[in-house]
Amino acid sequence: MSFRTPFHDLLSPQGALRQAYYGSEPLILRQAASVEGLPTSAEIDRLIDASLLRWPYFTVFQDGVRPEQAEVTTSRSLLGHEVDGFVRPEGVRRQLAAGATCKLSQIEDWHRFTRDQIDELHELFPAEVTAFLFLTPEGKRGMLPHRDASRVMVIQLEGAKEWHLFHDPAHENPDAGLDVDPATEVGSFVLEPGDVLYLPHAYGHAASAVGQTSLHVTFTLSEPTPDALVDALVAEWIDAGRLAALNEDAPLGATAKLHAVADDLARFAVDTGSLVTRALADGRARDLS
């Protein structure tokens, strides 16, 4: 790979992020990534004031609570049609002044350097990867303590953010959620520009800006769910002509058909690598749609 992404050195075979990916512990790396070429708060200001930014590519919230959508979105006339969901700059500015966080989603769709970083992560890990920006005013937090149903990699871009981590090995939950017990806090720390944080899958966390407005980028890495793998398995089975073959058999009752399908699926030999690749391809296609 000719370009040098922020995580490039950390993703080498002996790199810290490469080593931590399948581990169960958080990792903090000080001054480990360059922020050059990554989005800035000035870019976000321009997007708010003069762009075609639409909901839900941006959201606004404080402690997990969103304002009325009419406060931060408006409609525009496009080719004679009224289209809603466009950013309302004055409303977003009011919310930011009141302490709300502005989150930009799937920034890889418009920021090439971020797209390059995601492409590198896709090459290395069996995961759907997407990127989010969080702009948070001093002393505020956008979200309550929560879990993401993914692994998380963070680069602090501007300002500083204090993170609190929560973990209860006796009651692990792989799903995203807000049911994080504050009594399970295992530590806190402050990230400054260039610092990198890695969180294992579904590791509880919350973060607040300290000292000044904070900007950080989060990369979420989501491996295929059991549902996605089942969908990929059935698609492979159909592509192999097995469904067509069953349909050509003599007519069967519904129960007999069910048993025939189940029996054939059980006998169906599939390469696990290709199955994961198909599930990932389907998920990544959704990311780009």
Side-chain angles (χ1 to χ4, degrees):
M1 169 171 301
S2 59
F3 55 85
R4 201 165 193 81
T5 58
F7 289 146
H8 185 73
D9 291 338
L10 302 174
L11 295 172
S12 67
Q14 300 304 316
L17 281 182
R18 184 83 163 264
Q19 296 296 309
Y21 181 81
Y22 290 105
S24 59
E25 296 297 325
L27 178 67
I28 305 165
L29 300 169
R30 299 295 184 186
Q31 297 298 293
S34 171
V35 302
E36 185 177 357
L38 289 170
T40 66
S41 56
E43 286 182 83
I44 296 176
D45 285 341
R46 289 195 293 272
L47 285 171
I48 292 173
D49 289 332
S51 77
L52 294 177
L53 189 63
R54 290 189 70 201
W55 190 282
Y57 270 82
F58 79 97
T59 50
V60 179
F61 44 77
Q62 184 171 177
D63 281 338
V65 179
R66 295 177 179 176
E68 292 292 329
Q69 192 160 334
E71 163 71 357
V72 294
T73 65
T74 187
S75 62
R76 293 187 182 183
S77 179
L78 296 178
L79 300 176
H81 299 279
E82 283 296 309
V83 181
D84 60 10
F86 288 99
V87 61
R88 182 190 294 274
E90 63 274 18
V92 172
R93 297 270 177 220
R94 277 194 297 270
Q95 292 298 313
L96 286 170
T101 287
C102 181
K103 172 186 174 184
L104 300 185
S105 302
Q106 291 183 235
I107 63 173
E108 66 273 13
D109 287 356
W110 55 266
H111 194 270
R112 174 56 190 270
F113 195 47
T114 303
R115 179 77 244 173
D116 290 342
Q117 179 62 85
I118 284 180
D119 288 343
E120 183 178 30
L121 291 167
H122 277 167
E123 288 180 7
L124 295 175
F125 302 121
E128 301 171 37
V129 186
T130 193
F132 305 88
L133 284 172
F134 294 85
L135 182 69
T136 303
E138 176 186 359
K140 301 298 182 180
R141 66 181 182 184
M143 302 180 71
L144 296 170
H146 64 283
R147 296 181 309 275
D148 297 313
S150 62
R151 293 171 172 85
V152 171
M153 296 179 183
V154 171
I155 305 174
Q156 186 69 26
L157 301 178
E158 296 178 16
K161 208 154 198 184
E162 182 177 59
W163 289 71
H164 295 260
L165 303 187
F166 308 87
H167 188 53
D168 182 4
H171 299 91
E172 291 187 341
N173 187 333
D175 300 323
L178 293 171
D179 55 330
V180 174
D181 183 354
T184 64
E185 182 169 343
V186 294
S188 64
F189 50 87
V190 174
L191 294 186
E192 297 182 337
D195 291 346
V196 171
L197 169 65
Y198 171 77
L199 294 178
H201 183 99
Y203 210 96
H205 59 279
S208 302
V210 293
Q212 58 183 302
T213 296
S214 163
L215 177 66
H216 78 262
V217 59
T218 290
F219 296 86
T220 61
L221 297 91
S222 306
E223 294 191 353
T225 64
D227 285 354
L229 292 171
V230 168
D231 288 344
L233 173 62
V234 172
E236 291 275 313
W237 178 75
I238 292 173
D239 287 350
R242 307 294 279 261
L243 178 61
L246 287 177
N247 283 331
E248 290 173 359
D249 290 342
L252 299 173
T255 300
K257 288 178 182 177
L258 176 61
H259 286 301
V261 169
D263 289 344
D264 200 73
L265 277 169
R267 294 192 302 270
F268 181 56
V270 63
D271 177 78
T272 55
S274 66
L275 193 64
V276 170
T277 298
R278 181 164 192 153
L280 286 171
D282 291 344
R284 291 169 182 173
R286 288 193 300 273
D287 288 344
L288 295 173
S289 62

